[in-house]
Amino acid sequence: MHREYFIKNLEGIMYFKDIPLFEFQIVNRELVSYRDLSNHEYWPCEPRMNGMSYVSLNNFFQRRVVPDYAQDIREYLDAIGLPYYDFEQLVKRNNGGNHLDFFWVRFPNMGARCWNDILTQDYPIYS
Protein backbone atom coordinates (compact mmCIF):
# COMPACT_ATOMS: atom_id res chain seq x y z
CA MET A 1 0.00 0.00 0.00
CA HIS A 2 1.40 3.40 -0.97
CA ARG A 3 1.42 6.04 1.74
CA GLU A 4 1.66 9.79 1.45
CA TYR A 5 4.93 11.23 2.65
CA PHE A 6 3.84 14.57 4.06
CA ILE A 7 4.66 16.29 7.33
CA LYS A 8 1.43 17.52 8.86
CA ASN A 9 2.53 19.07 12.17
CA LEU A 10 6.12 19.35 13.29
CA GLU A 11 8.34 21.84 15.06
CA GLY A 12 11.95 21.82 16.03
CA ILE A 13 15.42 23.19 15.48
CA MET A 14 17.54 21.92 12.59
CA TYR A 15 21.18 21.31 13.54
CA PHE A 16 24.45 20.63 11.77
CA LYS A 17 26.20 18.57 14.45
CA ASP A 18 25.85 20.89 17.48
CA ILE A 19 25.36 24.09 15.47
CA PRO A 20 21.73 25.32 15.42
CA LEU A 21 20.76 26.30 11.87
CA PHE A 22 17.10 27.32 12.00
CA GLU A 23 13.96 26.73 13.95
CA PHE A 24 10.72 25.90 12.18
CA GLN A 25 7.09 25.09 12.78
CA ILE A 26 4.79 23.24 10.38
CA VAL A 27 1.05 23.26 11.10
CA ASN A 28 -1.50 21.52 8.86
CA ARG A 29 1.05 21.04 6.05
CA GLU A 30 2.08 24.68 6.07
CA LEU A 31 5.33 26.26 7.21
CA VAL A 32 3.92 28.84 9.62
CA SER A 33 7.23 30.07 11.01
CA TYR A 34 10.96 29.73 10.76
CA ARG A 35 13.87 31.70 12.11
CA ASP A 36 17.41 31.58 10.78
CA LEU A 37 19.88 30.95 13.61
CA SER A 38 23.05 30.66 11.49
CA ASN A 39 22.91 33.22 8.68
CA HIS A 40 22.28 30.37 6.21
CA GLU A 41 25.52 28.61 7.21
CA TYR A 42 25.57 24.82 6.73
CA TRP A 43 21.91 24.66 5.65
CA PRO A 44 20.81 21.39 4.02
CA CYS A 45 20.52 21.32 0.24
CA GLU A 46 16.75 21.71 -0.20
CA PRO A 47 16.23 24.92 1.83
CA ARG A 48 19.60 26.33 0.72
CA MET A 49 18.95 25.81 -2.99
CA ASN A 50 15.16 26.22 -3.13
CA GLY A 51 14.49 28.61 -0.26
CA MET A 52 12.79 27.91 3.02
CA SER A 53 9.32 26.52 2.40
CA TYR A 54 7.09 23.65 3.41
CA VAL A 55 7.98 21.83 0.18
CA SER A 56 11.75 22.12 0.71
CA LEU A 57 11.49 20.88 4.31
CA ASN A 58 9.14 18.05 3.39
CA ASN A 59 11.48 16.98 0.56
CA PHE A 60 14.38 17.04 3.00
CA PHE A 61 12.54 14.70 5.37
CA GLN A 62 11.37 12.40 2.56
CA ARG A 63 15.00 11.54 1.82
CA ARG A 64 15.61 10.65 5.49
CA VAL A 65 12.89 8.08 6.17
CA VAL A 66 12.69 4.48 5.07
CA PRO A 67 9.89 4.12 2.49
CA ASP A 68 6.83 2.00 3.23
CA TYR A 69 7.78 -0.48 0.49
CA ALA A 70 11.24 -1.24 1.92
CA GLN A 71 12.21 -4.84 2.46
CA ASP A 72 11.45 -5.99 6.04
CA ILE A 73 9.50 -2.79 6.81
CA ARG A 74 7.23 -4.65 9.25
CA GLU A 75 10.22 -5.82 11.30
CA TYR A 76 11.64 -2.30 11.28
CA LEU A 77 8.38 -0.77 12.50
CA ASP A 78 8.08 -3.42 15.22
CA ALA A 79 11.64 -2.71 16.36
CA ILE A 80 10.92 1.00 16.84
CA GLY A 81 7.49 0.45 18.34
CA LEU A 82 5.18 1.65 15.57
CA PRO A 83 2.04 -0.39 14.90
CA TYR A 84 1.76 1.00 11.34
CA TYR A 85 3.74 3.12 8.90
CA ASP A 86 3.60 6.77 9.97
CA PHE A 87 5.92 9.09 8.05
CA GLU A 88 5.80 11.89 10.61
CA GLN A 89 6.49 9.54 13.53
CA LEU A 90 9.44 8.05 11.66
CA VAL A 91 10.92 11.53 11.23
CA LYS A 92 10.49 12.15 14.95
CA ARG A 93 11.93 8.80 15.98
CA ASN A 94 15.09 9.23 13.95
CA ASN A 95 15.38 12.96 14.80
CA GLY A 96 15.29 13.74 11.08
CA GLY A 97 18.73 12.17 10.71
CA ASN A 98 19.95 9.59 8.22
CA HIS A 99 23.61 8.87 9.15
CA LEU A 100 24.84 9.99 5.74
CA ASP A 101 25.38 13.59 6.80
CA PHE A 102 25.46 15.74 9.92
CA PHE A 103 21.92 17.17 9.91
CA TRP A 104 19.35 16.36 12.56
CA VAL A 105 16.38 17.97 14.32
CA ARG A 106 15.98 18.65 18.00
CA PHE A 107 12.32 18.33 18.93
CA PRO A 108 10.86 20.10 21.97
CA ASN A 109 9.84 17.05 24.02
CA MET A 110 11.47 13.94 22.60
CA GLY A 111 14.62 12.44 21.25
CA ALA A 112 18.21 13.60 21.03
CA ARG A 113 19.40 16.74 22.79
CA CYS A 114 22.90 16.99 21.24
CA TRP A 115 25.05 15.56 18.42
CA ASN A 116 26.59 12.98 20.74
CA ASP A 117 23.09 11.58 21.35
CA ILE A 118 22.68 11.13 17.60
CA LEU A 119 26.04 9.37 17.33
CA THR A 120 25.48 7.04 20.28
CA GLN A 121 21.66 6.85 20.16
CA ASP A 122 21.85 6.93 23.95
CA TYR A 123 18.69 8.88 24.67
CA PRO A 124 14.98 8.20 25.20
CA ILE A 125 13.92 8.01 21.54
CA TYR A 126 10.30 7.04 22.10
CA SER A 127 8.96 9.39 24.74
Side-chain angles (χ1 to χ4, degrees):
M1 175 191 305
H2 179 72
R3 308 270 190 308
E4 290 185 349
Y5 299 102
F6 295 106
I7 296 295
K8 295 173 189 75
N9 298 290
L10 192 67
E11 70 176 285
I13 300 173
M14 178 75 65
Y15 279 81
F16 177 85
K17 294 186 178 181
D18 279 322
I19 301 169
L21 304 180
F22 55 84
E23 59 186 3
F24 66 93
Q25 182 180 23
I26 294 170
V27 177
N28 296 324
R29 294 186 182 182
E30 181 180 336
L31 180 65
V32 296
S33 68
Y34 90 93
R35 184 169 61 108
D36 184 359
L37 304 172
S38 67
N39 199 25
H40 296 274
E41 286 289 318
Y42 307 109
W43 277 30
C45 181
E46 290 85 352
R48 184 171 26 88
M49 300 298 286
N50 302 321
M52 181 60 74
S53 68
Y54 170 80
V55 171
S56 65
L57 280 177
N58 198 71
N59 288 343
F60 172 79
F61 289 123
Q62 285 178 355
R63 290 188 304 105
R64 308 179 87 70
V65 172
V66 63
D68 63 337
Y69 53 82
Q71 182 175 342
D72 300 325
I73 188 66
R74 181 70 260 152
E75 289 81 4
Y76 177 74
L77 295 176
D78 289 343
I80 63 171
L82 285 179
Y84 57 90
Y85 188 93
D86 184 326
F87 175 66
E88 194 167 306
Q89 278 300 311
L90 288 167
V91 169
K92 290 177 182 177
R93 301 229 177 160
N94 73 9
N95 279 93
N98 73 358
H99 302 292
L100 297 175
D101 58 34
F102 304 114
F103 298 109
W104 64 284
V105 177
R106 181 175 177 173
F107 297 112
N109 298 314
M110 77 178 293
R113 310 321 295 157
C114 66
W115 178 243
N116 190 60
D117 289 348
I118 297 295
L119 293 176
T120 63
Q121 295 187 4
D122 185 23
Y123 56 92
I125 301 171
Y126 314 123
S127 48

